[in-house]
Amino acid sequence: MIDHKYCIILAGGIGSRFWPVSSEARPKQFHSIRQGKPTFLQETYRRMSRTFAPGNIFIASLAKYKD
């Protein structure tokens, strides 16, 4: 099977839109609205994995968030 569908999740930013919860050190994509639940980034990945193969999902972010 050849799958040519790809997904790029944009997860950059400096944490100013979800202030005061987010910060430059830990922006919105690394937070969860519900305590103990997946982060925004994890929820987005999970939704996209229903449509795209895991190897075809890429996350674009700032280098400092690589880990």
Side-chain angles (χ1 to χ4, degrees):
M1 177 177 165
I2 299 174
D3 190 357
H4 294 291
K5 295 190 314 184
Y6 294 89
C7 173
I8 300 174
I9 299 171
L10 302 177
I14 58 169
S16 61
R17 296 186 126 187
F18 203 52
W19 183 88
V21 176
S22 64
S23 64
E24 187 172 350
R26 192 160 179 242
K28 179 174 72 175
Q29 63 266 27
F30 304 120
H31 287 279
S32 173
I33 292 179
R34 303 162 303 192
Q35 190 171 11
K37 298 295 181 180
T39 65
F40 288 111
L41 183 56
Q42 290 168 325
E43 288 181 356
T44 301
Y45 183 89
R46 187 179 341 186
R47 282 194 314 273
M48 294 300 103
S49 67
R50 294 182 207 144
T51 304
F52 300 92
N56 291 0
I57 301 174
F58 298 91
I59 299 171
S61 189
L62 301 175
K64 65 182 173 182
Y65 302 133
K66 182 179 179 182
D67 293 332

